[in-house]
Amino acid sequence: MVPLEPAPPWLLPERPDLRDRLLAAYRAGRGYHDVQHLAEVLARIDELGEGDDRELSLAAWFHDAVYDSLGDHEERSARLAEAALTQPEPVPGVDAAEVARLVRLTATHAPQPGDARGAVLCDADLAILAAPRERYDEYVAGVRRDYQWLPEAEFRAGRLAVLEQLLGRPRLFHTELGHATWEPRARANLSREMRELSRPEG
């Protein structure tokens, strides 16, 4: 039996039931969007100096709570956050609407200027793009498993479109620390993946 990965930090000790529900979702046979991804996002939030922000932490926990072949993952995850943090009664000291707003931002990774929380979450979610080569390649393989129902040619075309969109951005990371620390390696990883995907199959 494969041992479970340890649970990442959880800032609501009074709600272990909610933590366990979310962990079960992340452990449900996913490719990339699993407990390791969750732990990495939380670690990057901490690296950006916001590890004690409960709304940010909860947004990280909820941002991929729903992930399946039906799509609309961020919106459905945001609605889950709104419901779970307010029913049967509101979690004290937590702004559920703010958590849901942050979750929705991970659909575009385009926070508005001045949205410090949004910038941190979006940067933490995309920090995988700047991972060392071995981890980046694991991430790419995990994304492919998440979309294993797509034919290879269709997946490659869709992934290339994503890479082109990312590389076309003036900057990938919105925080100054994220931009300075992660931008060069992220662009190198994306460019390498694009070259590899653009090669003829066979």
Side-chain angles (χ1 to χ4, degrees), residues 30-112:
R30 298 179 177 188
Y32 167 60
H33 299 86
D34 58 5
V35 175
Q36 182 177 1
H37 169 58
L38 170 61
E40 288 173 341
V41 171
L42 288 164
R44 299 296 80 76
I45 289 174
D46 192 52
E47 188 175 339
L48 292 169
E50 300 297 336
D52 293 329
D53 186 315
R54 293 216 295 179
E55 276 79 14
L56 261 175
S57 175
L58 286 167
W61 273 86
F62 276 101
H63 84 287
D64 284 327
V66 177
Y67 205 92
D68 55 37
S69 60
L70 299 178
D72 203 18
H73 309 129
E74 295 84 6
E75 178 60 31
R76 292 160 64 205
S77 294
R79 290 177 185 172
L80 175 63
E82 289 171 323
L85 295 171
T86 59
Q87 300 170 14
E89 58 187 27
V91 175
V94 172
D95 185 343
E98 173 68 355
V99 173
R101 182 190 75 82
L102 291 168
V103 170
R104 289 185 172 100
L105 277 178
T106 62
T108 61
H109 298 101
Q112 292 297 311

Side-chain angles (χ1 to χ4, degrees), residues 4-27:
L4 295 178
E5 289 191 54
W10 175 248
L11 297 184
L12 293 180
E14 71 276 21
R15 290 297 306 274
D17 59 308
L18 183 52
R19 176 203 60 200
D20 292 347
R21 176 183 177 186
L22 291 170
L23 282 174
Y26 283 95
R27 287 171 172 158

